[in-house]
Amino acid sequence: MSVRKHLHGTTLAALLSEQDVIDIITVKDTDSVDLAIQRMSDARVLALPVLGEDGKVRGMIDCVDVVAMVSFLATVAPEGEELTKEMLSDMEFLRAVAFMTVAKTMDQSGVDPCVAVDEDSPTSVIVDMFAKGLHRVPVLSGDTLVGVISQSTVLRHMEPLVRLGRMKGWSRKTLGELGLGKAPVITVEPNTRVIDAINTITKNKVSALAICNKNGELVDSLSSTDLRGLGRAEIPNLLDPLWKYFLHAVGRKTTIATSLDTPLGDALTLFVTHNVHRLWIVDGGVPVGIVSLTDICKVFGSH
């Protein structure tokens, strides 16, 4: 059976039934961004569905939206003055962040628009969306929110089937043979300020940066996951270099590197085992490409 045929025969309701999550964590469009940040941090998720006063889904708010909003606010320094921690600690600035509403912050990044899908839809429908860069979708039964399915949800479902099931022969193809790992890499150094790295992420509309030493070798990475929980207390630390910020960051994911010679099945296992959203392709320690969950969904949708 092809991957495409399997996905077309699996409904979103069936995919949701495989998840352990019982409670759906949401925020209202009138809630503060500060509350959304706290709930994402507590639930260890990167995004939350946003509900209107009528209980219907209005959209999604994710870490990238929050980062884009904070990045914009934090760079507004008085003309001719350099941004300082004292400015970012100013009560008026922090109050502006605290009371910014979720409605004004949704899709601030312009990267991940909200597309709601009915639970009876085949999984192939959302895999096509994921292959175009969408990361997650709220799933509805009528007008009622019944769950959220992400790229990672699809990967966890497919990994044992591709690696051990009837599709395992296909899993022996390498990432290089499948044409993966060609996405360009944007790099920064460990001494780069966090705020400058964030601006690089938003300017280039990417989800991660490779952090490299003076020899160009990959030593770490920065993604939206590392910025989860970026609330008022942490905002002054945006002026710290990355290496210092990481000393106190919580919930960080491991940076996983591999090569183009890695079989697809092994790559899927790396994604699932380490719960990461991308694999860095290195050559002699130097990052030369990325394989993201978006890339994997493209493969799933075309085989």
Side-chain angles (χ1 to χ4, degrees):
M1 179 185 293
S2 70
V3 174
R4 181 79 185 180
K5 187 175 181 179
H6 171 80
L7 292 171
H8 195 67
T10 305
T11 66
L12 299 184
L15 217 57
L16 283 175
S17 70
E18 299 175 1
Q19 298 186 17
D20 296 329
V21 178
I22 298 176
D23 296 325
I24 304 173
I25 309 299
T26 64
V27 288
K28 294 181 180 178
D29 54 3
T30 54
D31 285 335
S32 68
V33 173
D34 216 34
L35 177 62
I37 292 171
Q38 188 60 55
R39 286 188 179 172
M40 280 189 276
S41 180
D42 290 344
R44 299 181 65 80
V45 296
L46 298 179
L48 295 174
V50 178
L51 306 181
E53 291 299 325
D54 57 2
K56 295 181 180 180
V57 175
R58 283 281 312 278
M60 297 280 291
I61 183 170
D62 60 27
C63 287
V64 182
D65 293 330
V66 174
V67 166
M69 181 272 294
V70 171
S71 175
F72 170 75
L73 291 176
T75 53
V76 182
E79 186 175 355
E81 295 186 35
E82 184 177 353
L83 194 65
T84 66
K85 283 195 174 186
E86 287 71 25
M87 291 180 187
L88 295 185
S89 299
D90 180 80
M91 288 306 298
E92 289 188 14
F93 173 79
L94 295 178
R95 194 176 295 114
V97 174
F99 292 103
M100 180 76 72
T101 65
V102 168
K104 292 182 179 180
T105 310
M106 286 189 304
D107 202 27
Q108 181 79 21
S109 66
V111 172
D112 224 358
C114 176
V115 180
V117 185
D118 187 82
E119 65 176 349
D120 292 327
S121 301
T123 301
S124 56
V125 170
I126 64 168
V127 169
D128 289 341
M129 297 179 188
F130 291 163
K132 295 177 181 178
L134 198 66
H135 292 93
R136 58 192 65 82
V137 296
V139 181
L140 306 180
S141 176
D143 290 331
T144 303
L145 177 69
V146 293
V148 176
I149 291 179
S150 67
Q151 292 178 333
S152 296
T153 310
V154 174
L155 179 67
R156 286 192 295 270
H157 171 77
M158 290 301 303
E159 187 262 345
L161 297 176
V162 173
R163 187 170 56 87
L164 301 173
R166 288 171 292 178
M167 308 167 193
K168 65 180 180 181
W170 175 59
S171 74
R172 298 190 185 100
K173 290 187 177 182
T174 67
L175 298 178
E177 290 171 339
L178 291 167
L180 300 177
K182 296 181 179 180
V185 176
I186 299 177
T187 66
V188 292
E189 296 182 350
N191 283 325
T192 302
R193 297 189 309 174
V194 178
I195 192 169
D196 295 329
I198 290 174
N199 286 334
T200 299
I201 286 176
T202 54
K203 178 182 177 181
N204 291 279
K205 292 189 178 297
V206 296
S207 58
L209 302 175
I211 303 175
C212 299
N213 60 23
K214 293 182 179 179
N215 297 322
E217 298 166 328
L218 181 70
V219 295
D220 210 331
S221 62
L222 176 74
S223 71
S224 57
T225 305
D226 301 313
L227 301 167
R228 179 173 51 197
L230 184 63
R232 283 175 289 170
E234 291 76 27
I235 286 177
N237 297 331
L238 292 175
L239 297 184
D240 286 337
L242 289 167
W243 68 265
K244 185 176 181 180
Y245 177 82
F246 286 158
L247 293 177
H248 307 289
V250 295
R252 296 198 64 223
K253 293 183 181 293
T254 305
T255 297
I256 303 297
T258 189
S259 73
L260 291 177
D261 294 328
T262 302
L264 176 64
D266 292 346
L268 297 185
T269 300
L270 286 174
F271 274 112
V272 172
T273 302
H274 297 282
N275 192 28
V276 294
H277 299 122
R278 65 195 58 79
L279 302 177
W280 297 91
I281 304 300
V282 297
D283 183 4
V286 177
V288 295
I290 309 172
V291 177
S292 67
L293 290 180
T294 297
D295 297 324
I296 296 299
C297 287
K298 289 179 182 177
V299 173
F300 286 164
S302 61
H303 286 74

